[in-house]
Amino acid sequence: MTLLLSHYYCRHMADRYSTNSSALIVARSPGRVNLIGDHTDYMGGMVLPMAIDRYTTLTAHQFDTSLHLLSDNQPEPLDARLPIVDPSSTTPAWGRYVTGVAHQMQVARGFWGSVSTTLPLGGGLSSSAALELSTALMLHSVNDLPIPTALELAQLCRRAEHVATGVPCGIMDQLTCAAGVEGHALLIDCYSMLVSPIQIPHDVHVYVQFVAHRQLASSAYAERVAQCNRAEVEIGPLRLAEVGSVRNISDELLRRRALHVVGENERVRRATMALALQDMTTFGQLMNESHFSLRDNFEVSTSQMDAAVETARAIPGVFGARMTGGGFGGCIVIVADATANLQHLQGVMHVKPVGGAEIL
Ligand code: GLA
């Protein structure tokens, strides 16, 4: 049905707009899973995610002055005239990630085509960042602009998300999807924006289990960012703070929030070392500790995610499991050896680390 619709739409658009049909361009971006280091990026902290072999793919022709896009996963197409003035009011809402990028770029030429994805939507695997990045690549291409660096692309898409959705996200999702390296996780210092690829041993397997849909825009994500900022007013940058100074924060809630960020930065450093040394037992323990801190100190897990994490951890061969991404639903990530049998877990996917967004 979707394919038929997509076919009809492309024919319709071709008849309506294109007598001289321009070349077909394909831009695609992977999603990401974060192995460890959540709710640290927007405080300039450390994260260790990887780009995964699930993609959002945009297939389009250049088209003057408008954006027309049919989605394989959404009932309503996007139809928007350039220049985009207020991406936050675009309907349907999924189109805001597209118009948000066009708004940042202030380009003259748009495109018409379709978008499809193998990422679960609203699943905490960066389907939004993947749509933003494929849009940014497509708009560069149809406007004959040189493709910027991965970091520049990521910063552009992050600004687009802020303006289009109001979610004050960090840089992790966009930078991971843009800068992914096959076979590697990325250690990202979200203050200096330095990206260091860390090889994942061949016999280490990464799984993602989908637990529940969530939307960061309607979650307490922005509230958590604000709480961390308030903690910084008391003790200075959390990325430089030590657990000892966190104890000086007078408010109990802010103290726990800060304790998570400071502890999580340290866990990322230790987990990176463990991964580099192929010490997967330590790596798994740090993943488990990260989950407890996100659950108890940061309060972004859910009982469903806690239960899924517990079940996964009890399986022989599993090194560690934790919620991944912003939380309030979404996915958990499981790291295991080759003997672990996870097939009976509902909604589980084996994911591999891949390279970043590209024009195919
Ligand atoms: C979401 C945001 C990221 C990051 C994570 C939590 O995915 O988009 O910037 O803050 O949550 O680590």
Side-chain angles (χ1 to χ4, degrees), residues 32 34 37-42 47 124-126 129 158 161 167-174 214 216 221 225 294 322-327:
R32 68 98 188 90
N34 191 15
D38 273 311
H39 288 278
T40 50
D41 63 346
Y42 50 77
V47 295
L125 297 182
S126 295
R158 179 190 182 193
E161 182 149 344
V167 177
C169 64
I171 194 75
M172 170 172 70
D173 303 353
Q174 290 83 2
R214 62 105 183 90
L216 281 188
Y221 183 93
V225 176
L294 287 159
R322 58 186 284 281
M323 59 150 276
T324 183

Side-chain angles (χ1 to χ4, degrees), residues 302-316:
T302 64
S303 47
Q304 258 181 307
M305 296 177 103
D306 297 341
V309 159
E310 288 251 325
T311 305
R313 269 187 213 142
I315 297 172

Side-chain angles (χ1 to χ4, degrees), residues 235 240-249 262:
I235 61 163
L240 303 175
E242 292 188 2
V243 174
S245 64
V246 172
R247 297 211 178 89
N248 296 330
I249 298 176
V262 173

Side-chain angles (χ1 to χ4, degrees), residues 235-360:
I235 61 163
L238 294 185
R239 71 189 163 82
L240 303 175
E242 292 188 2
V243 174
S245 64
V246 172
R247 297 211 178 89
N248 296 330
I249 298 176
S250 47
D251 183 275
E252 190 272 336
L253 183 73
L254 296 190
R255 197 159 59 232
R256 276 193 288 127
R257 301 297 191 242
L259 191 62
H260 167 72
V261 177
V262 173
E264 188 79 347
N265 282 334
E266 188 51 31
R267 282 187 286 276
V268 173
R269 291 192 186 93
R270 287 167 53 204
T272 304
M273 191 69 80
L275 187 61
L277 295 172
Q278 306 199 6
D279 173 1
M280 297 314 293
T281 306
T282 303
F283 189 87
Q285 276 163 6
L286 290 162
M287 288 180 76
N288 297 346
E289 284 171 29
S290 164
H291 183 82
F292 296 138
S293 180
L294 287 159
R295 184 190 66 188
D296 303 334
N297 292 326
F298 221 67
E299 296 177 286
V300 289
S301 187
T302 64
S303 47
Q304 258 181 307
M305 296 177 103
D306 297 341
V309 159
E310 288 251 325
T311 305
R313 269 187 213 142
I315 297 172
V318 167
F319 297 118
R322 58 186 284 281
M323 59 150 276
T324 183
F328 309 105
C331 285
I332 68 163
V333 58
I334 305 164
V335 174
D337 67 19
T339 68
N341 181 1
L342 304 185
Q343 273 169 2
H344 60 288
L345 296 182
Q346 213 186 350
V348 81
M349 319 185 253
H350 186 195
V351 291
K352 300 209 170 116
V354 294
E358 59 188 336
I359 299 269
L360 295 179

Side-chain angles (χ1 to χ4, degrees), residues 89-162:
S89 62
T90 297
T91 53
W94 69 265
R96 288 174 197 167
Y97 299 107
V98 177
T99 54
V101 173
H103 173 253
Q104 286 300 316
M105 291 179 62
Q106 289 296 313
V107 280
R109 282 187 229 141
F111 53 76
W112 63 271
S114 64
V115 61
S116 62
T117 189
T118 52
L119 284 159
L121 301 177
L125 297 182
S126 295
S127 53
S128 330
L131 178 54
E132 291 155 7
L133 278 158
S134 27
T135 300
L137 287 174
M138 183 63 72
L139 284 175
H140 278 87
S141 181
V142 297
N143 284 282
D144 297 322
L145 298 168
I147 304 291
T149 63
L151 178 58
E152 285 162 344
L153 269 178
Q155 283 167 328
L156 160 75
C157 291
R158 179 190 182 193
R159 286 195 305 272
E161 182 149 344
H162 285 188

